[in-house]
Amino acid sequence: MTDPGHQILDPTGDQKDLSMDHDDAHAPEQPEQPWLHDLSLTLAAPTQVWSAPDGQIGQPASRGEVPLSGLAGVHHGERRVLCLLRLEVDGREPTPVAGHGVRGDTHTFVAVPRHLGDPGPDPTVRVERRRDVEPGLVRERYTISSTAAEPVACTLGLRVAADLAPMDGVKGGTGRPVVAPEGVGGHVLTWQEAGLRGVLRLPGARTTDEGDHTLATWDVVVPPGQSVSHELLLTVDDTGAAVSAPSRRAGWSPVEVESADRRLAPVLERSLDDLRLLRLTARGMDDVEEEFVAAGAPWFLTLFGRDSLWTARMLLPVTTDLAMSTLRLLAHHQGTRTDDVTAEEPGKILHEVRSAGFSLGEDDGADRHLPPVYYGTIDATPLWAMTLHDAWRWGAPADEVEQLLPALERALAWQVEHGDADGDLLLEYVDRSGHGLSNQGWKDSGDAVRRSDGSRATSPLALAEVQGYAYAAATRGADLLEAFGRPGADRWREWAEQLRAEFARRFWVEDALGAFPAIALDRDKRPVVSLTSNIGHLLGTGILDQDGVDVVARRLVGSDMLSGFGIRTLSTQAAGYSPTGYHVGSVWPHDTAICLAGLAAEQRSETAPVAEALLSALTAFDGRPPELFAGDARSTQPVPLPYPAACRPQAWSAASAVSLVGSVLGLRPDRDSLAVAPVQPWSFGATHVSGLGTRGRPVDIEVTADGAGSISAR
């Protein structure tokens, strides 16, 4: 996903720094992407409510002007509905005291109207605001309670406005003026536009037009020792939405952890709750609703090929159903033609789906706008094949796997016929439309692929990790074809070995500390010499020989790469390194989890320090790891610093907690059986895990204090 953070995306996907030097101090302000690291979120996809920590949303605007809300608001799908929702008592905002989330879909805020109640320092009147979110529904309950000696009379007020702004406008910092509701004067307000309908019910309230917003009020009298409550209920529907809410509960079994290391259980519990709330569905083959996990809040509550696949793959120890539904849905959209505008090609797996496309901004007069169905990704196709194979190994029903083998054959053919555009055995990408993403690997910002001197590489680019994915897709795809008696296995194994030899010949470079794989080959097929986390994705794919595995494992845990909270996207020794660089120095939890899984698959001793770093980061963010955070060394920053514009929760960041548990347990699935080989040295103490397993049959896993593991049927 591309998220320029506090920067703005240029037409090639490049990030432009919005900070000003002294000479530009009086330059006109440019729109800025909203920061969200200090906001409160209540979520049940596709509905999400972002507010200040005290629960308040937005600020009133002058008539005709854009409201000052940033991201804050009630969002549904790809539109913001309410941009203003502020609570008052007697025309004053109460003083905030506390806010906490019971679950990801429920939040409570407590405040004190200090002008009410008995005299003295002790608060005797308080306001509790409880927010509950379901898909397409937001309910807020306002309760004024009093322990004052006399009855308390006051007016409870809500200032409300809607702008119905598209998500790309909100993300770009532009917004739009408020939209007038229907029904002012009554207690039901309605907004409608382009298939979106929002209905706000305020039982018992009086509503008045305040010009730039609507004011709803209730007269309240609270007897001593009692409370009075009023409610708001917002329902939202969007007939043009590309995705919808799931109709059932999450299908995976509960996962429980009892461990001497008290960090494991709450991290896993919070992450699984966030993944539950990020679930969505879309219509796939035979018009069947298929479930997937949306990429992340707030900008990416939709289907993303790469993100949804990685998430489903990381969750395989918990459920294969999610992987199979995600695979079927993506196969339904698998490319059938060549189209430079959408980047579609026969056999290719898409990048993202939206209802109306997504604007990335302008540069040099060129508008970067992704179409509603966009295929600009180089890695989703091999990742699809890898996920199908892994789901099979974890026990997905054979008939469901077999149904997708034709799509597998098309995906493998795409790697040769289209992914390798110049026939040199390497997969490369280039944006042919001039309006899509300039970088199409997982690091898809415009400045992500840099040399050690800081200069940017030019497309077409062949990324290192993509070659590893392609090798794994071909070899594991061959295993599937052979297992189901279909032809082609020998062809793909032979092609994979040729790719492996070509990778070994062309990607290895050296710096002052020795050899490592370059991040990519550039337009002229020259190695882009830069040490990055991309090389960690090669582990476990089979593309490296043992010497290569040794080198990659050692380089990942060097002090220039391992921050203490995860693996940096770029070495601190590179000229372009920045701890808050989106893809050039920050730490991404999912990226570290992928490297960790590779180290565990290769049974490396480096697994332990990387696992400790990732667990420390997940714990520091209370089990809700953001999309990314700063790459500062733990020795200089004792807690990881937020990246202010990072999505949270984000699917693959949340799923990294499950991947972490699987990696440290050393899970090895083989259809009907599951083996464990706990990481050594084992540092988590006596640990019991239940709810993981193959073929939907959960098992109990025990690890002793000294690291001996065993499995028993439940």
Side-chain angles (χ1 to χ4, degrees):
M1 298 181 298
T2 297
D3 184 343
H6 64 285
Q7 299 166 321
I8 193 166
L9 201 67
D10 82 359
T12 61
D14 292 349
Q15 296 174 14
K16 291 190 170 181
D17 192 355
L18 294 181
S19 61
M20 301 183 194
D21 59 25
H22 178 75
D23 293 336
D24 294 328
H26 301 290
E29 291 187 7
Q30 300 181 59
E32 294 181 323
Q33 179 175 324
W35 284 3
L36 51 117
H37 65 289
D38 58 350
L39 298 183
S40 167
L41 168 65
T42 317
L43 168 72
T47 305
Q48 51 183 331
V49 182
W50 291 85
S51 72
D54 61 357
Q56 302 284 49
I57 295 174
Q59 292 284 351
S62 300
R63 187 183 295 272
E65 292 185 356
V66 176
L68 301 174
S69 55
L71 168 64
V74 178
H75 301 258
H76 182 81
E78 298 176 50
R79 305 281 290 280
R80 177 166 59 194
V81 185
L82 299 186
C83 59
L84 178 69
L85 185 59
R86 299 195 73 87
L87 175 69
E88 297 178 349
V89 178
D90 294 334
R92 312 180 194 181
E93 294 195 6
T95 302
V97 174
H100 64 276
V102 180
R103 299 183 308 273
D105 53 2
T106 301
H107 220 101
T108 298
F109 309 92
V110 179
V112 172
R114 299 187 65 178
H115 67 288
L116 296 178
D118 294 342
D122 295 342
T124 56
V125 179
R126 67 183 183 185
V127 183
E128 181 176 293
R129 177 181 195 167
R130 179 183 168 107
R131 176 177 296 152
D132 293 279
V133 176
E134 300 175 27
L137 185 150
V138 177
R139 178 184 289 107
E140 289 201 348
R141 186 173 182 85
Y142 312 102
T143 300
I144 302 180
S145 58
S146 173
T147 58
E150 302 293 333
V152 171
C154 62
T155 299
L156 177 67
L158 286 175
R159 298 189 183 274
V160 179
D163 62 356
L164 310 186
M167 186 61 82
D168 54 357
V170 177
K171 186 173 185 289
T174 55
R176 59 183 291 188
V178 299
V179 176
E182 301 174 8
V184 177
H187 58 265
V188 179
L189 305 178
T190 304
W191 295 268
Q192 297 186 77
E193 183 179 278
L196 180 74
R197 176 181 172 84
V199 179
L200 180 64
R201 293 175 173 84
L202 300 152
R206 301 184 305 274
T207 57
T208 57
D209 182 2
E210 300 293 306
D212 55 334
H213 64 277
T214 301
L215 175 63
T217 56
W218 295 268
D219 291 330
V220 175
V221 177
V222 187
Q226 297 187 35
S227 62
V228 174
S229 298
H230 288 285
E231 250 187 12
L232 164 155
L233 184 68
L234 174 69
T235 56
V236 189
D237 181 55
D238 186 357
T239 59
V243 298
S244 57
S247 58
R248 61 184 181 88
R249 293 179 179 272
W252 53 73
S253 301
V255 180
E256 297 181 358
V257 176
E258 297 177 11
S259 177
D261 190 323
R262 297 183 181 275
R263 298 173 297 175
L264 285 170
V267 159
L268 190 61
E269 181 181 3
R270 179 66 180 270
S271 292
L272 287 172
D273 186 52
D274 281 341
L275 291 163
R276 172 182 67 85
L277 297 172
L278 285 170
R279 292 176 306 126
L280 288 170
T281 64
R283 295 196 177 276
M285 301 175 183
D286 301 321
D287 208 33
V288 174
E289 290 287 338
E290 299 285 9
E291 186 175 298
F292 64 95
V293 178
W299 319 118
F300 306 112
L301 287 186
T302 189
L303 175 66
F304 272 73
R306 176 191 305 119
D307 300 60
S308 297
L309 283 168
W310 267 121
T311 301
R313 195 168 174 226
M314 290 178 176
L315 282 174
L316 283 171
V318 177
T319 176
T320 60
D321 291 345
L322 177 66
M324 295 309 298
S325 60
T326 303
L327 288 162
R328 286 191 295 267
L329 182 56
L330 290 170
H332 173 67
H333 289 284
Q334 192 172 25
T336 59
R337 63 195 180 105
T338 300
D339 183 342
D340 288 347
V341 174
T342 64
E344 181 180 357
E345 292 168 337
K348 194 176 186 181
I349 300 299
L350 60 78
H351 176 63
E352 66 180 279
V353 174
R354 295 186 184 270
S355 60
F358 201 80
S359 177
L360 300 178
E362 295 186 3
D363 185 64
D364 295 331
D367 178 38
R368 295 285 165 170
H369 187 90
L370 304 186
V373 181
Y374 180 58
Y375 289 79
T377 168
I378 190 65
D379 53 6
T381 307
L383 286 171
W384 187 96
M386 294 167 67
T387 304
L388 179 63
H389 170 271
D390 289 358
W392 175 64
R393 289 294 300 272
W394 276 98
D399 59 335
E400 295 185 23
V401 174
E402 189 169 24
Q403 178 191 19
L404 292 174
L405 293 182
L408 170 66
E409 291 166 335
R410 293 191 293 271
L412 295 178
W414 172 84
Q415 294 194 152
V416 174
E417 297 168 7
H418 299 279
D420 176 16
D422 57 8
D424 67 346
L425 291 172
L426 303 174
L427 272 63
E428 55 267 314
Y429 62 83
V430 64
D431 172 39
R432 296 186 177 90
S433 72
H435 297 279
L437 295 173
S438 60
N439 277 323
Q440 298 182 3
W442 86 260
K443 294 178 179 176
D444 56 4
S445 57
D447 66 348
V449 185
R450 296 188 181 193
R451 300 176 180 86
S452 294
D453 63 6
S455 62
R456 300 184 186 184
T458 50
S459 295
L461 291 171
L463 293 171
E465 78 275 15
V466 173
Q467 315 315 314
Y469 300 161
Y471 178 87
T475 55
R476 297 174 193 181
D479 291 346
L480 273 176
L481 295 175
E482 192 170 70
F484 284 88
R486 295 176 76 99
D490 290 342
R491 174 196 177 191
W492 295 119
R493 290 192 182 109
E494 180 181 354
W495 179 84
E497 287 310 309
Q498 293 174 339
L499 170 61
R500 190 172 191 259
E502 195 68 8
F503 179 87
R505 185 176 73 86
R506 305 182 69 173
F507 271 82
W508 283 91
V509 295
E510 290 189 1
D511 64 8
L513 298 178
F516 63 93
I519 183 176
L521 302 186
D522 67 10
R523 176 178 58 195
D524 301 316
K525 298 300 178 180
R526 297 174 304 176
V528 180
V529 181
S530 186
L531 180 60
T532 65
S533 62
N534 300 57
I535 64 173
H537 295 221
L538 300 170
L539 297 171
T541 65
I543 201 169
L544 298 174
D545 60 19
Q546 190 56 55
D547 288 343
V549 169
D550 292 344
V551 168
V552 168
R554 289 197 304 269
R555 295 306 297 262
L556 286 176
V557 297
S559 60
D560 61 327
M561 292 298 293
L562 187 61
S563 74
F565 291 113
I567 295 173
R568 298 182 179 95
T569 44
L570 178 66
S571 166
T572 59
Q573 300 304 304
Y577 167 77
S578 169
T580 50
Y582 192 61
H583 287 133
V584 289
S586 63
V587 173
W588 290 60
H590 92 281
D591 183 34
T592 296
I594 292 169
C595 295
L596 174 62
L599 290 166
E602 304 284 1
Q603 298 183 306
R604 299 290 307 188
S605 61
E606 292 87 353
T607 305
V610 176
E612 173 57 33
L614 179 57
L615 181 56
S616 296
L618 301 185
T619 303
F621 288 105
D622 296 325
R624 176 175 276 179
E627 177 186 15
L628 69 154
F629 52 86
D632 299 277
R634 189 171 183 175
S635 59
T636 60
Q637 293 289 348
V639 295
L641 296 182
Y643 182 91
C647 294
R648 59 176 174 86
Q650 195 191 36
W652 57 16
S653 290
S656 67
V658 179
S659 183
L660 166 70
V661 171
S663 294
V664 298
L665 292 176
L667 300 182
R668 304 285 189 273
D670 189 12
R671 294 290 295 164
D672 292 312
S673 63
L674 182 65
V676 295
V679 61
Q680 301 299 322
W682 179 260
S683 61
F684 305 99
T687 300
H688 174 87
V689 181
S690 63
L692 307 179
T694 58
R695 286 185 178 265
R697 295 194 292 261
V699 297
D700 290 321
I701 301 173
E702 295 279 355
V703 184
T704 63
D706 59 0
S710 62
I711 293 180
S712 59
R714 299 186 67 180

